Amino acid sequence: IAHRPGMPFSNPDQALIHRFIADGSRPMAFDANPMARALGAELRAADLRAGTVTLAFAPDPLFIQGTGVLQGGAVTAMLDFAMAFATLAALPVGGSCATVNLNTAFLRPAPQGRYLAVGEVERRGRQLAFTHARLLREDDGQTVATATSTLALVQPDS
């Protein structure tokens, strides 16, 4: 799906995906999303046809809870970003989405460090997308959490 000049993106995160692809798919930091910036988010890979993305995260110490690991909400947010970005990658230009259901499984503690979140669209209809994601430690590839979500789709104006 190529961006047509003069056709606006309704979601700045979808615009980031298209800039990333147009720029040769070099790692690209998030620029319009304050939460993603706080989590040190970077777009690493995107496949528009398959509806998959890989995001990297280096969460700020702000997200470390009392036992020295990442707070569960921060872990869930990284997974949610991966699933939303996978959905945005699969939508026509100008489309958007919103999470309506999210389920996270925490498999092991997530110490402060660098993480990769891989999101994929399992099925996409007209109004809903069904997605899943994995959060892996970048240094050893161990999965620390997984998630599934349902996203409502906002279709672009025709």
Side-chain angles (χ1 to χ4, degrees):
I1 301 168
H3 180 252
R4 294 188 305 263
M7 183 175 191
F9 284 96
S10 62
N11 185 315
D13 291 332
Q14 189 185 48
L16 175 70
I17 294 167
H18 286 267
R19 282 196 319 274
F20 171 79
I21 291 168
D23 197 33
S25 299
R26 290 184 304 216
M28 187 173 285
F30 283 52
D31 54 2
N33 192 310
M35 177 70 166
R37 284 195 316 264
L39 288 168
E42 181 179 82
L43 184 56
R44 292 275 183 91
D47 185 327
L48 299 179
R49 294 199 193 282
T52 61
V53 298
T54 300
L55 306 176
F57 293 93
D60 190 275
L62 166 74
F63 296 105
I64 300 297
Q65 52 111 325
T67 60
V69 296
L70 290 171
Q71 194 272 342
V75 169
T76 299
M78 291 185 277
L79 290 161
D80 187 35
F81 275 119
M83 292 181 288
F85 263 66
T87 302
L88 288 170
L91 291 177
V93 171
S96 193
C97 62
T99 303
V100 296
N101 177 294
L102 174 63
N103 183 39
T104 304
F106 302 96
L107 307 176
R108 58 184 43 89
Q112 186 174 6
R114 297 191 53 80
Y115 290 87
L116 296 175
V118 180
E120 183 175 355
V121 175
E122 290 179 19
R123 183 172 165 269
R124 179 174 62 103
R126 243 183 95 62
Q127 296 180 333
L128 296 173
F130 301 90
T131 65
H132 66 271
R134 295 177 297 129
L135 186 68
L136 311 116
R137 289 197 304 234
E138 190 173 46
D139 61 355
D140 64 9
Q142 246 190 346
T143 301
V144 298
T146 61
T148 58
S149 73
T150 305
L151 295 101
L153 305 180
V154 179
Q155 302 296 334
D157 295 331
S158 300

